[in-house]
Amino acid sequence: MAAAIAIDGPAGAGKSTIAKKIAQQLNMIYVDTGAMYRAIGLYFHRLGVAPEDGETIGRLAQQAEVSIAYEGGKQQVYLNGENVTAFLRTEEAGNMASAVSVYPQVRQMLVRQQQKLAAVRDVVMDGRDIGTVVLPKADVKIFLTASTRVRAERRCEDLKSRGLPCDMELVEKDIIDRDWRDTHRAESPLRQAEDAVLVDTSDMTIDQVADRIIEIYRERQRPAAKTEKKEA
Ligand code: DC
């Protein structure tokens, strides 16, 4: 495995903003695994499949090919050859992603792809199961969290900055519901890995969080560098 930083945590904790920043500073690629689940969510939403129809979802999951590419340093997500990046950050895609991510067929397919990518590239990967399932041997594991109110405020700011409407109460309710589903599903529930560092971002700036994670990463790299020198 190449170098890897795993960042897990609930929706709106700041994972993607922080992970992107760290990836840039450490010259690694940023892998947003939530976007891959959102692409699958979009696939079933477009097909009109009910989220509780596990049998159909399990069967059709094999026909959805999700792949990622980097254009101008930015992650682009392809669904059966179509660039769907622009359609992924809506509440519908997010809710559908959360609903279909409970099915093992969906998870297995995406986890395999994420592991393949991390085997050949230095990655900062964020999601729900990165430290526990996808990259259990990651160099650094971070569990990012923040209060539901702060997370709802951040989600609204994000939606508004893209010209989309936002109902704060509704967004906070969605976050609470999604947290419950993500932490209670049988397959790879969201939980902090035993060796992950917990970082509550409610009262921290983006730069403070990014600097803290980079510091942890460098501290972990240092003992290895010393050993190498001694051996030389
Ligand atoms: O991080 P996000 O909000 O873009 O993720 C959308 C949904 O995808 C989230 O509710 C849970 C699911 N997900 C997952 O189950 N495992 C991951 N590694 C990433 C996301």
Side-chain angles (χ1 to χ4, degrees), residues 202-214:
S202 301
D203 300 313
M204 288 174 85
T205 65
I206 290 164
D207 283 341
Q208 284 171 335
V209 181
D211 289 350
R212 172 87 189 101
I213 297 174
I214 290 174

Side-chain angles (χ1 to χ4, degrees), residues 13 37 54 60 98 125 128 154 176 185 188 212 214 220:
Y37 285 90
L60 294 184
S98 174
M125 193 176 275
R128 304 294 190 287
R154 288 176 183 165
I176 293 168
R185 66 179 177 227
S188 309
R212 172 87 189 101
I214 290 174
R220 303 255 165 115

Side-chain angles (χ1 to χ4, degrees), residues 33-34 37-38 89 97-98 101 107 127-129 178 182 185:
T33 64
Y37 285 90
R38 284 169 183 265
R89 307 252 13 125
S98 174
S101 66
R107 304 204 69 83
R128 304 294 190 287
D129 58 343
R178 206 184 294 175
D182 292 350
R185 66 179 177 227

Side-chain angles (χ1 to χ4, degrees), residues 8-12 15 32-38 88-89 93-99 101-102 107 111 114 126-130 134 155 178-179 181-182 185 187-188:
D8 290 301
K15 296 187 300 291
D32 171 5
T33 64
M36 298 167 88
Y37 285 90
R38 284 169 183 265
L88 303 180
R89 307 252 13 125
N95 288 334
M96 194 63 170
S98 174
S101 66
V102 304
R107 304 204 69 83
V111 167
Q114 292 152 10
D126 77 1
R128 304 294 190 287
D129 58 343
I130 311 304
V134 182
R155 185 67 93 195
R178 206 184 294 175
D179 279 359
R181 275 200 304 270
D182 292 350
R185 66 179 177 227
E187 189 79 13
S188 309

Side-chain angles (χ1 to χ4, degrees), residues 159-178:
L159 289 169
K160 281 183 189 156
S161 74
R162 287 181 289 118
L164 298 166
C166 182
D167 176 334
M168 178 80 80
E169 299 306 318
L170 205 66
V171 168
E172 188 173 10
K173 189 188 168 299
D174 268 355
I175 284 178
I176 293 168
D177 290 350
R178 206 184 294 175

Side-chain angles (χ1 to χ4, degrees), residues 8 128 131-132 141-145 189-199:
D8 290 301
R128 304 294 190 287
T132 51
K141 296 180 188 177
I142 304 291
F143 195 83
L144 270 197
T145 183
L190 168 66
R191 66 173 179 85
Q192 185 181 341
E194 273 172 24
D195 51 350
V197 179
L198 176 71
V199 180

